[in-house]
């Protein structure tokens, strides 16, 4: 049996799971989304993802037509329908079907889609030997325009950065904000380790408030590792002892080279490996059963 996709309360086979070409999610990238993960039958950080989805929607004045509890119920039902224990859940809410103009008032009911599938962001071998990244020239969106905290369906800012990374022959790119400070990568938050402390850019540097980022900060506090949200430059990154990226799909991935500079000793760092170990333990216990 093939994959079943949830659209507005009904399940469709993958081949038949379609939305209208008049949906403003397609016409304008007008909508919001979430990426959530399950580990062995537990949904990791479900409340955090649901809250972020509704906050993104609130920021763009999109009223999600079902309550948070109903959304959680729909996610669980989709997972059970597909009999998946380890899944990547893509949850999206589009503005809905409108006409060819921008006006969101002309769109009827927002469309809710839930896809449960697998995702592989980077080749497995890179988790062992570490990733190489580059700084690219596409700036991260400024908060006065499309705030990076909104997880919107318009990801062109990130895709342009990803294209630059691919053109440079690597998998991932560091994006700077309009002031030239480090923001984040195309689909991940960034951390460095310097003299035993863990550092990551603050939200106002222009980053998504990553849920994996939050989990790593919580783990560090619990383990009494000093952790600070600090404005960072490329210089700070070049001279860090360790570097890693965090994201729901990527989890925690070490970075060993940036802009042709070796990071630390050029191998995944000790603290990074410790945090990966703690994170893996957390995903086994901290979750909502479905
Ligand atoms: N930054 C961006 C731009 C993202 O799209 C994502 C999620 N893919 C992240 C950071 C990581 O966020 P999370 O840990 O909540 O998945």
């Amino acid at each position: 049996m093939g994959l079943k996709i949830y659209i507005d309360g009904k399940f469709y086979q993958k081949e038949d799971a379609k939305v209208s070409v008049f949906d403003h999610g397609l016409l304008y990238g007008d909508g919001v989304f979430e990426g959530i993960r399950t580990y062995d039958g537990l949904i990791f950080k479900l409340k955090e993802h649901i809250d972020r989805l509704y906050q993104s929607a609130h920021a763009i004045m999109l009223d999600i037509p079902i309550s948070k509890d109903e959304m959680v119920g729909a996610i669980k039902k989709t997972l059970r329908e597909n009999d998946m224990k380890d899944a990547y859940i893509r949850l999206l809410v589009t503005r809905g079907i409108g006409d060819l103009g921008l006006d969101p008032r002309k769109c009827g009911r927002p469309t809710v889609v839930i896809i449960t599938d697998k995702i592989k962001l980077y080749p497995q071998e890179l988790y062992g030997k570490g990733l190489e990244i580059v700084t690219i020239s596409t700036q991260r969106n400024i908060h006065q325009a499309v705030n990076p905290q909104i997880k919107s369906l318009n990801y062109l800012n990130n895709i342009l950065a990803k294209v630059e990374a691919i053109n440079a022959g690597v998998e991932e790119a560091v994006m700077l904000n309009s002031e030239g400070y480090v923001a984040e990568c195309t689909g991940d938050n960034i951390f460095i380790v310097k003299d035993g402390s863990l550092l990551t850019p603050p939200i106002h540097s222009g980053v998504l408030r990553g849920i994996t980022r939050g989990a790593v900060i919580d783990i560090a506090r619990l383990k009494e590792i000093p952790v600070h949200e600090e404005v960072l430059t490329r210089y700070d990154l070049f001279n860090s002892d360790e570097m890693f990226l965090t994201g729901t799909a990527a989890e925690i991935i070490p970075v060993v080279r940036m802009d042709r500079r070796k990071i630390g000793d050029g191998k995944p760092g000790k603290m990074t490996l410790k945090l990966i170990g703690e994170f893996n333990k957390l995903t086994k216990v901290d979750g909502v059963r479905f």
Side-chain angles (χ1 to χ4, degrees):
M1 269 227 297
L3 200 62
K4 286 189 200 146
I5 316 287
Y6 172 104
I7 305 176
D8 290 334
K10 293 203 188 89
F11 288 102
Y12 299 85
Q13 290 296 331
K14 184 177 175 178
E15 307 72 46
D16 304 320
K18 292 173 181 155
V19 294
S20 165
V21 293
F22 286 93
D23 193 305
H24 279 207
L26 176 71
L27 284 174
Y28 297 115
D30 186 357
V32 293
F33 78 102
E34 271 301 321
I36 315 173
R37 203 158 169 149
T38 72
Y39 294 92
D40 196 21
L42 292 175
I43 313 172
F44 189 60
K45 301 280 177 201
L46 179 60
K47 182 182 183 309
E48 287 81 349
H49 284 285
I50 296 292
D51 286 347
R52 190 172 65 184
L53 179 79
Y54 281 74
Q55 284 167 12
S56 291
H58 182 64
I60 68 164
M61 291 191 79
L62 188 162
D63 272 329
I64 298 180
I66 58 176
S67 69
K68 287 186 182 182
D69 284 347
E70 287 168 330
M71 187 67 88
V72 167
I75 291 172
K76 290 181 178 176
K77 205 169 162 196
T78 310
L79 285 164
R80 287 197 298 261
E81 196 77 25
N82 287 292
D83 196 19
M84 289 179 107
K85 284 203 157 9
D86 292 279
Y88 176 82
I89 306 161
R90 176 60 56 88
L91 177 56
L92 43 136
V93 186
T94 75
R95 186 74 68 179
I97 298 169
D99 63 16
L100 293 180
L102 289 179
D103 192 345
R105 291 172 304 184
K106 293 190 181 157
C107 298
R109 193 186 142 99
T111 309
V112 179
V113 177
I114 305 171
I115 308 169
T116 53
D117 205 353
K118 302 273 174 204
I119 195 165
K120 186 122 226 73
L121 222 54
Y122 305 112
Q124 190 56 38
E125 70 194 58
L126 292 180
Y127 285 82
K129 68 176 196 194
L131 191 64
E132 175 173 2
I133 62 175
V134 291
T135 316
I136 44 80
S137 58
T138 303
Q139 284 174 7
R140 190 71 177 109
N141 281 334
I142 54 171
H143 66 88
Q144 303 94 313
V146 181
N147 192 312
Q149 286 205 73
I150 301 171
K151 206 165 164 60
S152 88
L153 288 179
N154 193 322
Y155 248 48
L156 263 186
N157 184 219
N158 312 58
I159 290 164
L160 287 173
K162 182 83 176 179
V163 166
E164 284 191 72
I166 294 164
N167 288 347
V170 298
E171 292 289 330
E172 192 46 282
V174 177
M175 301 180 81
L176 307 179
N177 63 23
S178 60
E179 291 176 297
Y181 295 112
V182 174
E184 61 182 336
C185 291
T186 66
D188 299 312
N189 292 110
I190 190 162
F191 283 80
I192 58 170
V193 177
K194 185 67 181 173
D195 299 330
S197 291
L198 199 53
L199 306 174
T200 193
I203 302 304
H204 68 74
S205 283
V207 309
L208 181 76
R209 191 184 293 276
I211 286 158
T212 321
R213 173 186 182 275
V216 166
I217 292 173
D218 289 347
I219 291 170
R221 294 211 170 110
L222 211 65
K223 296 284 154 194
E224 297 184 345
I225 299 164
V227 52
H228 306 288
E229 293 179 59
E230 227 172 83
V231 171
L232 299 172
T233 63
R234 290 172 72 219
Y235 174 93
D236 300 319
L237 267 48
F238 295 151
N239 290 292
S240 63
D241 303 324
E242 301 181 27
M243 193 188 294
F244 62 86
L245 313 182
T246 64
T248 297
E251 301 176 296
I252 301 175
I253 183 158
V255 177
V256 292
R257 243 166 104 84
M258 173 178 161
D259 296 337
R260 299 258 175 131
R261 278 96 163 161
K262 192 156 80 171
I263 302 305
D265 63 3
K267 297 197 183 74
K270 252 191 169 149
M271 193 186 289
T272 305
L273 296 175
K274 180 182 160 127
L275 289 167
I276 291 174
E278 292 299 329
F279 181 79
N280 289 341
K281 276 195 236 167
L282 192 67
T283 60
K284 290 190 176 67
V285 294
D286 184 326
V288 175
R289 200 155 287 287
F290 57 88

